[in-house]
Amino acid sequence: MTLYLQTEIASNSVQTWLIALAIALATMVAVGVFRFVSMKYLQKLTEHQVAASVWDILLKVIGRTSWLFIFILALFIGSLVVELPETARRVLDSITIISLLIQAGLWASLALQQSIDQYREHKISEDPASVTTLNVLSFIGKVMLWAVVLLLVLDNLGINITALVAGLGVGGIAIALAVQTILGDLLSSLSIVLDKPFVIGDFLVVGDLLGSVEHVGLKTTRLRSLSGEQLVFSNSDLLNSRIRNYGRMYERRVLFSIGVTYQTPREKLIKIPEIIREAVTGQEKTRFDRSNFKEYGNFSLNFESVYYVLGPDYNEYMNIQESINLHIHEAFENEGIEFAYPTQTLLVQQQSPAGDHQAAPE
């Protein structure tokens, strides 16, 4: 038996080959047991989590570990105790490194996809338009990841990738110049999703156009105007414009003016700011700021008032302003104060015609 174990096969004894095989089998078993135990432990951790967490990602990443990769890794570790020809050693090393790169790509790709999926589930109720853009981000990330893996594999195989990278760079520049408008809109879409200057439902004013945001796509953003038609803006043009976002308004400042006639007595003028104050403070969700006798107008004595509506809703603001106007109208009727309206007074002065006189009595 001892003689048989000392028999050489391919420059190694049978005993050495058996030791290498035992090490390879032990490695496979150890890695398999570690994979199974860690998955069970992580599964218990995720069961106690209300929402998706990093443990879910780690669980799925470990579960993505290929048995083929484990076999190649075990084979490589077992081969370390035997002497192999230089060519065989180089081939085995290349296979091991390539399998490691591919497995790392699978891990990173799955981790990226799971991270984006969790972020999308968390944000989809706040910003449904981000789903499309996040899918594009996932696709771009995976393409870049596997491009790096491919270049590393080719480099490991002894292929000179310098010229290939230079060619891809020149080709990428040519493609970017050809589709620069589309790429501009795509980058603008990513900017909208990540920087969030507005979200679905916000009311925007862009130049002389206005409407509520309905959809944010890869190339265009669509608004629904007050009159019903759909407004379509390219993302790059939209971000290059001056946007007034009323969806981010937390309270509305209201300035309004009232004019009364010049015949209004001074004691009535003194009462008007207090009347306006009572009209504003009598409404819910308002904060009074000021009311002043501002100026002598062309045909009226003008009062300027300012208050805040504690909310962005336009319909609510209009209802409050209507109630204030009715309260002021009723108070003016009770006080006998008249609203002014454009009037003109024509003054006619009569003069005696020249030479028309009576002679003095003698």
Side-chain angles (χ1 to χ4, degrees):
M1 184 66 179
T2 303
L3 182 63
Y4 174 76
L5 292 176
Q6 297 300 324
T7 304
E8 289 192 359
I9 301 176
S11 302
N12 293 280
S13 64
V14 173
Q15 182 179 357
T16 304
W17 284 111
L18 291 175
I19 293 173
L21 179 61
I23 293 174
L25 292 174
T27 302
M28 283 194 68
V29 172
V31 174
V33 170
F34 174 78
R35 178 176 178 271
F36 176 79
V37 172
S38 60
M39 288 182 65
K40 286 294 184 180
Y41 177 73
L42 290 173
Q43 192 170 8
K44 290 182 179 180
L45 288 179
T46 57
E47 289 176 355
H48 299 288
Q49 298 288 335
V50 177
S53 64
V54 67
W55 303 118
D56 297 276
I57 299 176
L58 189 57
L59 173 63
K60 293 178 180 178
V61 166
I62 293 177
R64 190 68 177 270
T65 305
S66 171
W67 280 105
L68 178 60
F69 166 70
I70 296 175
F71 172 76
I72 294 174
L73 180 64
L75 188 64
F76 171 77
I77 294 176
S79 69
L80 295 178
V81 301
V82 299
E83 294 182 5
L84 296 176
E86 183 178 352
T87 303
R89 174 62 64 185
R90 187 166 55 249
V91 170
L92 183 59
D93 290 346
S94 296
I95 292 175
T96 304
I97 294 174
I98 290 173
S99 65
L100 178 61
L101 290 172
I102 294 175
Q103 183 61 63
L106 291 173
W107 286 333
S109 177
L110 181 61
L112 175 65
Q113 183 64 50
Q114 291 298 315
S115 300
I116 291 179
D117 287 345
Q118 288 187 11
Y119 179 82
R120 178 172 52 197
E121 291 175 2
H122 179 65
K123 293 292 184 180
I124 190 170
S125 59
E126 301 175 7
D127 187 9
S130 64
V131 174
T132 303
T133 306
L134 289 174
N135 288 336
V136 174
L137 280 175
S138 175
F139 175 75
I140 293 175
K142 288 180 180 179
V143 169
M144 295 178 62
L145 172 65
W146 286 109
V148 172
V149 171
L150 177 61
L151 291 176
L152 292 175
V153 169
L154 293 177
D155 182 62
N156 185 262
L157 292 175
I159 299 174
N160 185 7
I161 64 173
T162 304
L164 178 61
V165 172
L168 290 175
V170 174
I173 293 174
I175 294 173
L177 291 175
V179 295
Q180 56 182 333
T181 303
I182 297 175
L183 290 177
D185 289 329
L186 176 60
L187 293 176
S188 297
S189 173
L190 298 179
S191 176
I192 291 172
V193 170
L194 299 177
D195 191 44
K196 298 187 183 304
F198 53 83
V199 295
I200 299 294
D202 283 354
F203 189 85
L204 306 183
V205 176
V206 185
D208 58 347
L209 301 174
L210 66 164
S212 299
V213 180
E214 276 192 339
H215 175 75
V216 180
L218 296 178
K219 180 171 175 56
T220 62
T221 295
R222 301 164 201 167
L223 276 65
R224 182 68 60 181
S225 72
L226 293 177
S227 54
E229 73 272 18
Q230 189 179 70
L231 305 174
V232 181
F233 299 87
S234 68
N235 290 327
S236 57
D237 289 343
L238 189 61
L239 289 185
N240 289 331
S241 304
R242 300 294 182 268
I243 301 174
R244 300 171 65 185
N245 188 351
Y246 285 91
R248 303 289 172 85
M249 178 188 291
Y250 299 106
E251 59 181 22
R252 183 185 297 269
R253 183 178 184 269
V254 182
L255 183 148
F256 68 98
S257 299
I258 288 178
V260 298
T261 61
Y262 268 88
Q263 290 75 25
T264 305
R266 186 168 61 86
E267 60 271 13
K268 301 292 186 181
L269 295 178
I270 296 174
K271 291 183 178 181
I272 290 176
E274 187 59 31
I275 291 174
I276 296 175
R277 175 192 290 272
E278 292 176 357
V280 173
T281 56
Q283 309 300 319
E284 295 182 356
K285 297 185 179 181
T286 58
R287 185 176 75 251
F288 180 78
D289 186 21
R290 63 179 177 83
S291 182
N292 305 100
F293 179 13
K294 180 184 178 183
E295 62 186 357
Y296 294 92
N298 293 330
F299 53 85
S300 62
L301 304 175
N302 296 328
F303 289 78
E304 184 178 84
S305 304
V306 176
Y307 71 95
Y308 290 87
V309 178
L310 306 181
D313 186 74
Y314 185 79
N315 291 333
E316 184 178 43
Y317 149 66
M318 288 302 299
N319 291 332
I320 290 174
Q321 186 63 51
E322 179 184 39
S323 299
I324 291 173
N325 290 338
L326 292 175
H327 186 282
I328 293 173
H329 191 279
E330 181 182 2
F332 278 20
E333 279 187 347
N334 296 334
E335 292 291 338
I337 301 173
E338 295 184 2
F339 290 97
Y341 52 88
T343 57
Q344 288 184 343
T345 302
L346 181 63
L347 300 178
V348 179
Q349 183 178 2
Q350 293 184 347
Q351 295 181 350
S352 299
D356 184 8
H357 60 276
Q358 295 180 351
E362 295 180 357

